[in-house]
Amino acid sequence: MPDPEKTPTSAPVPAPRDAVPPEAIKAVPVRHYGRWVSAVGVLVLLGLLVQAFAGADIRWEVVGDHLTYDTVLRGAWETLWITLLSMLIGVVLGMLLAVMRLSSNPVLSSVAWGYIWFFRGTPVLVQLYLWFNLSLIFEVLNVGFYKDEMNQVITSFVAALLGLGLNEAAYMAEIGRAGILSVDPGQTEAAHALGMNSAKTTRRIVLPQAMRVIIPPTGNEFINMLKTSSLVSAISHEELFLASTNVSSRNLAVMEMLIVATVWYLILTTVFSIGQYYLERHYSKGSGRGLPPTPLQRIRAQLTSFRTRSQVGGERI
Amino acid sequence: MSGHPMVKSEQVHKSFGPIEVLKGIDLEVRAGEVFCIVGPSGSGKSTFLRCINHLEKINAGRLYVDGHLVGYRQRGNKLYEMREREVATQRRDIGMVFQRFNLFPHMTAAENVMEAPVQVKGLRRAEARERAERLLARVGLADRVDSYPSQLSGGQQQRVAIARALAMEPKLMLFDEPTSALDPELVGEVLDVMRALAEDGMTMIVVTHEMGFAREVGDSLVFMDGGVVVESGHPREVLANPRHERTKAFLSKVL
Ligand SMILES: Nc1ncnc2c1ncn2[C@@H]1O[C@H](COP(=O)(O)OP(=O)(O)OP(=O)(O)O)[C@@H](O)[C@H]1O
Ligand SMILES: [Mg+2]
């Protein structure tokens, strides 16, 4: 953006005195026949699908009743908790691993490498079982200041957090590393030249910029985690999926209960997607592209522009 | 101009792996001086500048800033590497301005200037903000304090970068081709700021291709080529009557 005071203004080209303004273009727009055909095709297919489900042997009232059924709600709550806590473990440990991985200290970077190698290389389901059955090989947990029987410590909930969280950390480490590497080394150099130490440089300069690259895939990981948490049912922790199937083993409404679970998963993922949208906005500060208005702001703008249409120019929000 | 020596370089050598980039640099910059370094691309100008604030470690020789060894402590005739904290402390007193500005893009102009005083010197935010506004006004950007770098022109960004370096109240400023990334019509505004800084008595080492600036503002000038200082003297002297063939060849291309 040139400084308005400094840029020499080029002399305006004088318009010819009595030039006739050019005729406005009136052209036939390109017709997109293909779009119409495909839209109609898709609509027909959708109609057939709706028809099939409407006619299918599903007791929708059972679905409706059980959406807010106690066991189901508790399961959904459990799924949400497990997801949030596992992701918290994953993000914090993952960022630590990412920084370790990029450290010039060979011990730190190879430990991080080994961690990622192990946890990415084994299925989450196996890891969940490994944690859950830890008491088979270690009967007591003894960490000096704390001592207890292992199967008292590793409940299904704790096994779920360890299995999902530690596994997630390996993936978050890679995402974090990509984010950190995306930041121009000139930024670190500028910070060092100002007398900032490495820790401050990482925290104040590098990570905030890496966030723009880190957040979109992290949002993905969050949503994946919501779904992957259903594996916890295998170690008989009653989260959303197990809760729904437990109910259906009593009321025999198998399909109905699966639909209930599906609806809840969709609700949760939708809420997370909205959260991601706002987080991305926050970290795009200063990225040059002006922030687009949020849906809420857009609605508000609509409302006010109805009221004061004459004053609000087309673009203003 | 004859202050005490601010920078003293004795036989400074620097290699990247097998490639020797600096092959024994000897020079002295006095306090209050504007010291210009010119030379062809790849001659090691940036590398030398980066050695001065220890962004690069030298392999041989001695480099002093304000009488202190850069990056090392000497006890007897043994050298001890400084800890990160000590290096950081040394760097506080040396401002650096980069060719590509390197402003922090997620911070406004004022926040860029405030960052180091707050984080490194522990200045209170209100005080740092005041200082930032004063410095930004000094580089002619009083009205852009709250703009993000992406909303500023190259010349404005570079002036913010200069204000950011000044916020640490350095006793020495290093400029690495501060105008090379700028459109020609924006070069002047940055050089004006540097000229004003020189008039205030700041010690400055300036790597530049702006021979006009070197001639007018510079107190000394060295011509570097192939990792050595080929020729040095008063800018008007060297630029008007270069003695070495290599200097002549270089100047005939850039002037
Ligand atoms: N980190 C590095 N690793 C390896 N080689 C390097 C590194 N930095 C610089 N060099 C090499 O050192 C030499 C001198 O580089 P330097 O950047 O100091 O030159 P310069 O005089 O500043 O050139 P220019 O005018 O193009 O900026 C070049 O050959 C360059 O390739
Ligand atoms: Mg250079």
Side-chain angles (χ1 to χ4, degrees):
Chain A
M1 230 173 288
D3 189 336
E5 300 148 26
K6 299 284 161 78
T7 37
T9 42
S10 55
V13 183
R17 263 296 159 77
D18 38 24
V20 192
E23 199 184 333
I25 292 175
K26 284 192 216 92
V28 183
V30 178
R31 306 250 189 248
H32 299 279
Y33 297 110
R35 277 188 209 168
W36 286 102
V37 173
S38 52
V40 169
V42 167
L43 280 178
V44 168
L45 284 175
L46 266 180
L48 289 174
L49 199 67
V50 168
Q51 199 194 6
F53 268 84
D57 184 14
I58 299 173
R59 284 170 290 155
W60 289 103
E61 69 284 358
V62 176
V63 174
D65 288 347
H66 284 81
L67 269 179
T68 51
Y69 193 66
D70 240 12
T71 316
V72 173
L73 283 185
R74 242 181 292 124
W77 183 248
E78 207 63 28
T79 290
L80 186 65
W81 245 151
I82 290 178
T83 303
L84 286 175
L85 291 179
S86 307
M87 278 309 288
L88 188 68
I89 296 174
V91 168
V92 171
L93 188 57
M95 289 307 125
L96 191 71
L97 284 166
V99 173
M100 279 168 69
R101 185 88 212 266
L102 293 171
S103 153
S104 51
N105 182 332
V107 176
L108 291 185
S109 69
S110 25
V111 166
W113 184 89
Y115 182 99
I116 293 166
W117 170 78
F118 179 80
F119 282 94
R120 272 206 321 187
T122 50
V124 188
L125 189 55
V126 176
Q127 287 172 35
L128 283 171
Y129 275 115
L130 280 174
W131 285 113
F132 193 52
N133 294 312
L134 210 59
S135 61
L136 295 182
I137 51 171
F138 301 110
E139 269 184 28
V140 284
L141 175 70
N142 188 350
V143 283
F145 57 90
Y146 179 83
K147 194 171 173 214
D148 203 348
E149 300 227 341
M150 191 58 99
N151 54 15
Q152 294 290 313
V153 179
I154 307 269
T155 60
S156 61
F157 186 72
V158 171
L161 293 192
L162 286 172
L164 296 176
L166 297 189
N167 184 70
E168 185 58 34
Y171 287 91
M172 284 310 302
E174 290 297 275
I175 291 172
R177 189 169 70 106
I180 291 171
L181 287 177
S182 77
V183 178
D184 177 8
Q187 293 288 309
T188 308
E189 221 154 67
H192 283 168
L194 285 167
M196 292 171 77
N197 61 24
S198 300
K200 279 221 167 94
T201 303
T202 303
R203 195 164 52 79
R204 298 278 313 167
I205 308 299
V206 177
L207 282 183
Q209 292 182 58
M211 279 304 172
R212 284 185 47 212
V213 174
I214 289 173
I215 285 173
T218 304
N220 254 342
E221 291 296 309
F222 242 109
I223 283 166
N224 263 331
M225 180 63 86
L226 266 170
K227 299 180 293 179
T228 311
S229 67
S230 61
L231 288 180
V232 171
S233 60
I235 52 173
S236 39
H237 190 74
E238 200 175 52
E239 41 61 73
L240 180 53
F241 175 60
L242 189 59
S244 312
T245 49
N246 279 347
V247 173
S248 67
S249 67
R250 272 178 263 136
N251 68 3
L252 301 180
V254 175
M255 215 37 192
E256 285 79 359
M257 288 318 294
L258 286 175
I259 292 175
V260 166
T262 306
V263 169
W264 267 111
Y265 278 118
L266 281 175
I267 290 173
L268 290 176
T269 48
T270 307
V271 170
F272 272 84
S273 307
I274 295 171
Q276 180 184 356
Y277 174 83
Y278 282 94
L279 207 59
E280 272 177 38
R281 265 177 70 85
H282 174 77
Y283 278 104
S284 63
K285 252 189 334 192
S287 70
R289 274 164 279 161
L291 295 176
T294 64
L296 247 168
Q297 287 171 337
R298 247 178 268 162
I299 292 168
R300 211 171 301 145
Q302 280 288 323
L303 292 179
T304 50
S305 69
F306 279 133
R307 240 177 286 139
T308 56
R309 175 154 272 174
S310 52
Q311 293 157 16
V312 178
E315 289 290 328
R316 250 201 70 117
I317 292 169
Chain B
M1 277 302 152
S2 61
H4 64 283
M6 181 61 83
V7 175
K8 200 164 172 211
S9 170
E10 296 171 351
Q11 280 301 302
V12 165
H13 286 254
K14 170 71 194 172
S15 312
F16 291 107
I19 308 159
E20 191 165 44
V21 176
L22 300 180
K23 303 171 183 164
I25 303 283
D26 284 303
L27 53 81
E28 190 172 294
V29 180
R30 301 196 151 273
E33 205 179 18
V34 176
F35 191 97
C36 299
I37 303 180
V38 301
S41 181
S43 54
K45 309 181 295 292
S46 300
T47 306
F48 179 65
L49 223 49
R50 294 158 54 80
C51 289
I52 295 177
N53 64 1
H54 209 53
L55 286 174
E56 304 286 358
K57 271 186 199 157
I58 63 176
N59 301 110
R62 291 283 187 277
L63 192 52
Y64 300 91
V65 171
D66 209 14
H68 299 287
L69 262 184
V70 175
Y72 301 93
R73 247 171 303 120
Q74 187 159 15
R75 291 250 178 74
N77 46 16
K78 242 189 168 169
L79 282 189
Y80 295 86
E81 244 181 69
M82 279 187 178
R83 300 185 168 284
E84 192 199 357
R85 196 155 39 86
E86 297 170 279
V87 174
T89 308
Q90 266 192 339
R91 284 184 184 139
R92 288 183 195 186
D93 295 335
I94 307 172
M96 184 155 192
V97 175
F98 300 87
Q99 183 174 354
R100 287 174 46 245
F101 328 139
N102 297 354
L103 288 182
F104 306 134
H106 57 303
M107 299 180 182
T108 62
E111 288 166 350
N112 263 279
V113 180
M114 290 160 66
E115 184 65 10
V118 170
Q119 295 296 326
V120 179
K121 286 197 169 161
L123 216 65
R124 280 183 299 111
R125 287 193 72 80
E127 212 174 314
R129 169 86 193 186
E130 225 168 81
R131 183 186 288 188
E133 281 172 2
R134 192 158 27 84
L135 284 168
L136 286 170
R138 185 165 157 199
V139 298
L141 290 172
D143 51 340
R144 306 310 299 266
V145 237
D146 293 316
S147 303
Y148 284 98
S150 60
Q151 299 165 333
L152 298 173
S153 73
Q156 292 171 329
Q157 289 189 49
Q158 192 61 297
R159 287 186 278 152
V160 174
I162 294 174
R164 178 176 71 174
L166 291 175
M168 291 299 281
E169 299 172 320
K171 51 193 178 195
L172 168 67
M173 286 280 283
L174 310 175
F175 292 84
D176 191 359
E177 301 196 32
T179 57
S180 299
L182 297 178
D183 289 341
E185 77 262 30
L186 301 180
V187 168
E189 61 189 67
V190 172
L191 292 183
D192 286 345
V193 168
M194 290 169 60
R195 194 172 289 126
L197 205 52
E199 276 160 19
D200 288 349
M202 176 63 75
T203 314
M204 296 159 62
I205 305 183
V206 186
V207 173
T208 185
H209 292 302
E210 295 292 330
M211 298 305 161
F213 176 85
R215 194 180 299 120
E216 275 174 55
V217 185
D219 299 302
S220 314
L221 179 142
V222 296
F223 171 72
M224 271 177 72
D225 193 8
V228 293
V229 172
V230 176
E231 187 164 350
S232 62
H234 195 276
R236 273 189 288 273
E237 199 72 9
V238 180
L239 294 178
N241 310 305
R243 274 164 299 163
H244 284 261
E245 283 311 313
R246 280 194 279 176
T247 321
K248 279 180 199 162
F250 174 75
L251 290 178
S252 71
K253 269 181 256 159
V254 295
L255 284 180

